Amino acid sequence: MTSLLHSASPFSLASRESLRTRTFLPNRSCSRIATPNGVRCNVGEPLKYANGKPSTPLLKTEEMAPNFLATETRLVNATTKNDTRLRIFSGTANPALSQEIACNMGLELGKIKIKRFADGEIYVQLQESVRGCDVYLVQPTCPPANENLMELLIMIDACRRASAKNITAVIPYFGYARADRKTQGRESIAAKLIANLITEAGANRVLACDLHSGQSMGYFDIPVDHVYGQPVILDYLASKTICSDDLVVVSPDVGGVARARAFAKKLSDAPLAIVDKRRHGHNVAEVMNLIGDVKGKVAVMVDDMIDTAGTITKGAALLHQEGAREVYACSTHAVFSPPAIERLSSGLFQEVIITNTIPVSEQNYFPQLTILSVANLLGETIWRVHDDCSGVVEPFSTLGID
């Protein structure tokens, strides 16, 4: 039985546990020495909700392990002069991910006060000085999108008025990304509007994960670091006992062919199939036919997000009709708008694999759900941005950090 991952991939030797259970710290020009006052954070248990049940990470310091992305292990001293210039603050959209990012970096989350007045207005106050600091604000604009977006803008403004040196908006999920072009007359391009708002609020840089389309980076007049959740999912799939000869990667629509092709190349250059979909309205999809052969194979459907799950479930039903043995659904962003849970748990999928860019409430767990963490990926990227490094040198090129 051959390995799923292509031999050229740097993730072929990485186990599933190495990605989600270890603390990964990047190579830096100046070494750090751990002190007794340093933050004690090391994930000893994966942040993975297997079979609908979450497991809480255990924090330890003695089990620091090498980063699967880096060639060396580095210790962190959060009390040195350079490190005190880095601050991470969390909004209210996904505090669990923010905390895990900070722990993996060996830092503490900055103190911030966020509350809502009786009329719904948002109040933000930083509880510590950020003067001259590099500030990273972790806030996905997931549902409720407008509330979380406004909160991010006010957080950026608060940091700007507190004389932060650089402000980076870390947006694991960028809402309104699907409104990136005009498909009919007299429509707005909301993605460009949101980019303008973030820029005008005072952000100096944006760190985003798996944007719906690449052109969204061009809407910002500030630098954008775009990383992909693909390595996280690939590493998990490598742990599955699936013969590469039985594997086929499926794009749920024509627009996702490039994403699926890149994914298939990492899975031992697996064959590709495409579901031809005709959309008659927003959040309404109709499957027409299948391009490619899936008979007797294990189909892995790849998409950037699952919203109402109409596209991916109709595609899965078509794959079963065409003779697919098993169907896996892989997606970075789990929006899970109703009736997504009912559709995904209907028995069409062997497993639904997502990441924690968007928090999933406990009431939305179902047996086939598996949640992987992107905290290590985002933490590594934050360090490299803070150090003015790029990701073009192996093994970091697979991160997609330019």
Side-chain angles (χ1 to χ4, degrees), residues 5 16 52 60 66 79-80 102 105 125 181 183 193 195 200 213 243 248 264 278 286 295 320:
L5 290 183
R16 162 179 157 193
K60 301 178 182 178
T79 62
T80 61
M105 296 178 65
Q125 182 189 30
R181 65 190 183 281
T183 58
L193 173 62
E200 291 301 319
S213 57
C243 180
V248 58
R278 303 295 172 89
E286 180 181 353
K295 188 173 182 180
H320 281 293

Side-chain angles (χ1 to χ4, degrees), residues 4 33 64 83 137 169 171 180 186 221 234 246 274 278 391:
L4 281 177
I33 302 175
M64 290 272 188
D83 290 344
L137 306 175
I171 311 176
D180 56 2
R186 300 176 296 280
D221 296 325
L234 283 168
D246 296 335
I274 304 169
R278 303 295 172 89

Side-chain angles (χ1 to χ4, degrees), residues 98-164:
S98 305
Q99 182 63 62
E100 193 181 357
I101 291 173
C103 279
N104 287 335
M105 296 178 65
L107 302 173
E108 287 183 341
L109 284 177
K111 296 179 177 62
I112 186 171
K113 181 179 182 181
I114 302 175
K115 69 176 183 179
R116 282 164 174 76
F117 293 105
D119 61 354
E121 294 181 359
I122 300 172
Y123 173 84
V124 173
Q125 182 189 30
L126 302 177
Q127 301 289 292
E128 59 186 71
S129 174
V130 295
R131 184 178 298 274
C133 294
D134 289 338
V135 177
Y136 295 83
L137 306 175
V138 183
Q139 175 81 340
T141 54
C142 53
N146 298 331
E147 282 280 314
N148 291 329
L149 173 62
M150 195 64 200
E151 184 179 303
L152 174 61
L153 297 176
I154 297 175
M155 289 170 65
I156 294 172
D157 183 70
C159 293
R160 180 174 63 88
R161 296 180 187 280
S163 301

Side-chain angles (χ1 to χ4, degrees), residues 167-226:
I167 304 171
T168 300
V170 181
I171 311 176
Y173 170 72
F174 181 62
Y176 288 100
R178 286 172 284 184
D180 56 2
R181 65 190 183 281
K182 293 179 68 172
T183 58
Q184 302 178 49
R186 300 176 296 280
E187 283 186 338
S188 69
I189 304 179
K192 172 58 177 172
L193 173 62
I194 302 305
N196 288 343
L197 290 173
I198 293 173
T199 303
E200 291 301 319
N204 303 108
R205 179 181 291 269
V206 167
L207 169 56
C209 182
D210 265 330
L211 292 171
H212 185 64
S213 57
Q215 68 256 30
S216 298
M217 289 186 286
Y219 295 154
F220 290 90
D221 296 325
I222 55 178
V224 177
D225 291 298
H226 186 205

